[in-house]
Amino acid sequence: MCLATVYKESDNTVILKNTSRIDVDGGKLILRDIMGQETVVEGKILMVDLANSIVKISCE
């Protein structure tokens, strides 16, 4: 199983670890971890590095 860590691009802070799913709903990103906990942020995906399990987003 590939899990990712989602980082806020502006200051490199961790938004969510062990992210198993990301849904895009307009300007919202719905992040879900392996336990089913959801985190919703306004922003967009800037980069996904599948080899290193990194996702960078910009938050608005």
Side-chain angles (χ1 to χ4, degrees):
M1 177 185 305
C2 257
L3 301 173
T5 301
V6 178
Y7 296 91
K8 183 177 175 183
E9 191 266 339
S10 62
D11 59 5
N12 223 31
T13 57
V14 174
I15 295 176
L16 189 66
K17 291 184 178 182
N18 298 318
T19 306
S20 61
R21 181 179 176 124
I22 301 173
D23 292 304
V24 179
D25 182 15
K28 289 190 232 177
L29 299 173
I30 304 149
L31 313 170
R32 186 176 302 135
D33 70 9
I34 57 174
M35 301 303 289
Q37 173 98 20
E38 286 188 357
T39 302
V40 178
V41 295
E42 294 277 334
K44 62 182 178 180
I45 296 172
L46 298 176
M47 184 274 294
V48 178
D49 181 346
L50 297 175
N52 294 304
S53 301
I54 295 171
V55 177
K56 291 211 176 186
I57 65 170
S58 68
C59 293
E60 299 171 359

